[in-house]
Amino acid sequence: AEVDRLFQEATRGEKEWRFECRIRRPDGAVRWITAAGGYQRDGEGRAIRMAGIVQDITALKQADEALRD
């Protein structure tokens, strides 16, 4: 719900967005992702295209947790 809220807020305000969260894949595996994106604008500043990237950071999160332990 929080990720959806952040994404909707960024979409309405045509702002850049960035977040980390856990997801559950269709096969039941739990993974951590980071996602970021923004807008391409025309010469008058209007948003014409949205683009972003999602990266699996599960291994990084697991390494951080191992260091804390």
Side-chain angles (χ1 to χ4, degrees):
E2 179 67 8
V3 170
D4 186 50
R5 185 190 68 75
L6 291 169
F7 186 74
Q8 293 301 323
E9 182 180 298
T11 302
R12 281 191 302 276
E14 296 180 355
K15 298 187 261 181
E16 291 186 0
W17 44 276
R18 177 180 304 273
F19 59 84
E20 291 182 1
C21 66
R22 286 184 318 177
I23 61 167
R24 182 175 307 277
R25 296 188 331 193
D27 66 2
V30 175
R31 309 294 287 180
W32 275 93
I33 61 167
T34 184
Y39 290 86
Q40 180 181 8
R41 299 186 182 278
D42 65 13
E44 296 171 9
R46 292 182 297 237
I48 58 172
R49 183 172 298 141
M50 177 187 234
I53 189 165
V54 176
Q55 184 177 11
D56 185 331
I57 58 169
T58 304
L60 177 63
K61 291 289 190 177
Q62 289 170 339
D64 285 346
E65 186 176 324
L67 286 173
R68 281 192 302 273
D69 291 345

